[in-house]
Amino acid sequence: MTAIHPVRLMLATLPEYPRFSESIAYQLSGLLVVFVALGGLWALLEVIGACFRCADRKVGTVLVEPPASAPPPPVDAPVMAPLTCALISATVHAASQGRARILSATPEAPPVTYAIIAAAVHCMFEGRVRIVSVSPVHSDPSWAREGRRDIFSSHRIR
Amino acid sequence: MFTGFFDYLQTTGFALLTWKMLVMWAVSGVLLWLAIRKGFEPLLLVPIAFGALVANLPTRGVMSSELRPDGVYETATFTVEGHGVASPEIAGAAPSGGSQRVRITRVEGGLYDFISQGVKLELFPPLIFLGVGALTDFGPLIAMPRTLLLGAAAQLGLFITFMGANLLGFTAKQSASIGIIGGADGPTAIFLSNKLAPELLGAVAVAAYSYMSLVPLIQPPIMRLLTTKKERVIRMRSLRPVSKLEKLIFALVVMIVCVLLVPDASALIVMLMLGNFLRECAVTERLVKASQNEIINVLTLFLGTSVGLTMAAESFLAPATLKIIGLGVVAFAFSTAGGVLCAKLMNVLSPGNPVNPLIGSAGVSAVPMAARVSHVEGQRYDKTNYLLMHAMGPNVAGVIGTAVAAGYFISTLGH
């Protein structure tokens, strides 16, 4: 004997043109089914989530939560190249060790520029290096041209 | 000479044109304008509009000529008829004279006769759900599972519209097909309409996709009407990180629970969760890429054109279509209101951990447009309040909720 689904059994008598009261009862049943399904999932997910949080606490994982409604990273932001990441890490490393020292520099550049240059030099020569001077290159446009080419080539031509 | 020329004209398509077809050309033009000029869901509206234009041209070799009076195409049904004919010339072979000859009539269609089988046999919507699953990150929902209730509340429009359609003279099955427009889920609307009221498929699909594209226009006034300025600037707690294993378990749990509760929605739920499982397990990269790109793109193209081809003038230009378009707005409005009001209720019950009611409207499952509308609306009042990821929770919950509601309609009306 084929088993009949309970909901189908309950509403098997819904006519083709139901009366208003029948229609109301039908809608309430439908909403109940949806709420039971999603509410049940909510309960299950809470239990599963609690288990995972508990397991995280046991292994000593510290979850650093961002501040409330912190802005998410922009979706279209370019992924940083490994070298950039290395430079930034090296900058932090050098800054924390207090080993980066710029003896002479042009005053208009922001301090972060010197930090990045110092980090780049540190990465390149893998040792303690003293940077004697930092000055902007105005005469040679090659780097600017290369940067422009890189930006243009990153966009799809339609 | 002229007689010959006019005789020739009678054999061309011009002789078969009707004024209704010309009206449908205009309807196709409007849909194409909305899609191309206004950018409203172009990926779907362009194929639908193009299919509608083709359906109203006297084509040969595109569809079969088997059009039922109610506007439903009998696509690629190989009609095999057995006729018992007493044949005198071969009767001698059988002394009893009982020998019979069977004549087989085979109706063959054109290109879309076969492609439309994907709609008729309900293959396209579940396969599109495979792609949707592969594209969707359920992380925000897993991190804040209580937003499932917002997805459930946003199904309010479906059931209220069911009653409205009933009062307007539609049958129970037709009313369910119209109500599902409020779910703002195209594949589910097509899946359900095809099962319960295939004669309304074209109108329901067009209404569903048109309103999905109009979400940024329909929802904000309702959201503003139902919320105060203080509520719109509520900041929600940040979402916790969700591990890969948790996401994998989620896909399996949702599939099992939903299939057990509403077996008639199995095809949709199973494919949705298969796509998501492939995505999250991270070892089936090729399959995920295929689901996210090739499979969903090809199916969207075929589904759109197949749906458009159901918009033949005879069936589409009927008073019922206007009623469906009107009821679609009602469904959308009530679904939006249901989500927002549920969020407000949750704040009353749990004041310590408030929910911004603007994310309630994302419970309609137009992913991710409804979530984006919540975010943009929130930023109107507080530029530093980022609601997008919070709104993705009810948004994907709405997909599950609409599939469950469709399963309920099919289990109660479709047998």
Side-chain angles (χ1 to χ4, degrees):
Chain A
M1 189 180 155
T2 315
I4 300 175
H5 198 272
V7 176
R8 202 178 300 156
L9 188 67
M10 185 175 68
L11 296 160
T13 53
L14 190 75
E16 199 173 350
Y17 292 96
R19 288 196 307 263
F20 187 74
S21 56
E22 289 171 326
S23 190
I24 292 277
Y26 182 72
Q27 290 164 56
L28 291 177
S29 305
L31 267 179
L32 187 65
V33 169
V34 174
F35 269 95
V36 165
L38 298 196
L41 284 175
W42 172 29
L44 271 173
L45 290 179
E46 286 289 359
V47 171
I48 294 168
C51 294
F52 272 90
R53 281 194 295 270
C54 192
D56 282 343
R57 247 178 257 130
K58 271 184 188 166
V59 296
T61 308
V62 180
L63 298 176
V64 181
E65 291 202 355
S69 292
V75 176
D76 295 332
V79 177
M80 277 194 292
L83 181 61
T84 314
C85 295
L87 289 177
I88 293 170
S89 314
T91 306
V92 172
H93 175 71
S96 62
Q97 300 288 319
R99 290 189 308 195
R101 197 151 65 102
I102 311 290
L103 296 181
S104 114
T106 45
E108 64 264 26
V112 69
T113 308
Y114 301 127
I116 289 172
I117 290 169
V121 172
H122 175 76
C123 282
M124 187 66 77
F125 295 103
E126 293 177 349
R128 294 190 64 169
V129 177
R130 177 174 295 180
I131 299 168
V132 178
S133 72
V134 174
S135 59
V137 181
H138 292 301
S139 55
D140 186 7
S142 307
W143 283 108
R145 202 180 298 132
E146 173 60 17
R148 211 172 293 127
R149 190 203 61 76
D150 195 41
I151 289 169
F152 284 142
S153 63
S154 69
H155 289 74
R156 191 185 297 159
I157 299 166
R158 304 179 72 168
Chain B
M1 187 181 78
F2 283 111
T3 314
F5 179 69
F6 284 119
D7 283 347
Y8 170 72
L9 275 186
Q10 288 298 313
T11 66
T12 65
F14 285 104
L16 301 171
L17 282 179
T18 62
W19 69 268
K20 285 185 173 179
M21 285 179 166
L22 298 179
V23 173
M24 287 307 293
W25 291 8
V27 172
S28 307
V30 170
L31 292 177
L32 285 172
W33 178 75
L34 284 174
I36 298 166
R37 187 79 184 194
K38 294 285 179 184
F40 290 164
E41 292 276 344
L43 293 179
L44 276 155
L45 277 190
V46 168
I48 287 177
F50 207 88
L53 184 62
V54 173
N56 292 285
L57 284 169
T59 52
R60 283 177 194 149
V62 177
M63 295 290 289
S64 76
S65 58
E66 297 294 306
L67 179 66
R68 281 182 0 206
D70 58 4
V72 177
Y73 273 105
E74 280 290 353
T75 51
T77 304
F78 299 109
T79 310
V80 180
E81 294 177 358
H83 294 286
V85 178
S87 178
E89 61 265 29
I90 58 169
S96 62
S99 173
Q100 291 185 335
R101 187 167 58 190
V102 176
R103 182 183 299 157
I104 297 173
T105 307
R106 202 158 169 264
V107 178
E108 289 194 46
L111 171 67
Y112 267 91
D113 211 0
F114 296 97
I115 291 177
S116 297
Q117 286 299 303
V119 176
K120 191 179 165 96
L121 299 175
E122 291 155 5
L123 303 176
F124 289 165
L127 289 174
I128 284 186
F129 259 47
L130 173 75
V132 172
L135 284 164
T136 305
D137 177 14
F138 283 100
L141 178 64
I142 302 168
M144 196 169 48
R146 65 190 174 132
T147 54
L148 276 159
L149 292 183
L150 300 177
Q155 309 309 316
L156 180 72
L158 274 70
F159 297 100
I160 287 184
T161 310
F162 176 90
M163 187 177 67
N166 232 216
L167 291 175
L168 285 175
F170 289 99
T171 65
K173 288 181 178 181
Q174 290 174 332
S175 303
S177 302
I178 296 166
I180 202 79
I181 295 171
D185 193 335
T188 307
I190 291 167
F191 186 78
L192 184 73
S193 294
N194 197 54
K195 259 196 191 314
L196 298 184
E199 68 278 7
L200 300 183
L201 179 62
V204 168
V206 167
Y209 281 116
S210 304
Y211 290 136
M212 277 166 67
S213 61
L214 294 175
V215 160
L217 297 178
I218 297 173
Q219 286 197 321
I222 301 164
M223 292 156 76
R224 276 176 231 143
L225 185 72
L226 296 174
T227 53
T228 62
K229 199 175 174 189
K230 193 180 165 192
E231 286 171 330
R232 286 175 223 146
V233 295
I234 288 176
R235 289 192 172 219
M236 295 173 63
R237 282 185 196 166
S238 292
L239 302 172
R240 69 177 174 86
V242 176
S243 68
K244 177 179 152 186
L245 180 61
E246 211 174 338
K247 288 182 178 177
L248 291 175
I249 291 173
F250 168 82
L252 295 177
V253 166
V254 169
M255 185 180 72
I256 292 167
V257 169
C258 290
V259 168
L260 288 176
L261 201 64
V262 277
D264 287 289
S266 302
L268 294 173
I269 295 286
V270 165
M271 295 310 279
L272 179 74
M273 290 306 152
L274 171 62
N276 193 250
F277 197 87
L278 291 174
R279 172 199 166 98
E280 300 301 346
C281 69
V283 290
T284 54
E285 198 181 336
R286 279 167 51 195
L287 301 184
V288 176
K289 279 187 176 167
S291 307
Q292 288 176 335
N293 298 292
E294 292 86 0
I295 291 176
I296 199 167
N297 288 345
V298 169
L299 291 174
T300 302
L301 179 63
F302 286 165
L303 181 75
T305 41
S306 299
V307 166
L309 281 162
T310 63
M311 291 167 66
E314 293 81 10
S315 59
F316 196 81
L317 291 180
T321 306
L322 279 179
K323 287 183 193 171
I324 291 168
I325 303 282
L327 285 165
V329 182
V330 175
F332 241 86
F334 275 105
S335 290
T336 304
V340 173
L341 292 174
C342 182
K344 286 168 74 103
L345 181 66
M346 283 165 74
N347 284 348
V348 172
L349 298 175
S350 170
N353 188 9
V355 170
N356 191 315
L358 293 177
I359 71 164
S361 66
V364 302
S365 47
V367 181
M369 198 183 285
R372 213 178 292 144
V373 168
S374 300
H375 175 72
V376 170
E377 201 56 28
Q379 289 226 314
R380 275 173 184 264
Y381 302 93
D382 182 359
K383 287 224 176 296
T384 56
N385 198 4
Y386 291 84
L387 292 174
L388 187 63
M389 291 314 285
H390 298 291
M392 281 306 291
N395 208 190
V396 292
V399 178
I400 301 170
T402 309
V404 170
Y408 169 78
F409 281 136
I410 296 166
S411 28
T412 52
L413 299 169
H415 299 274

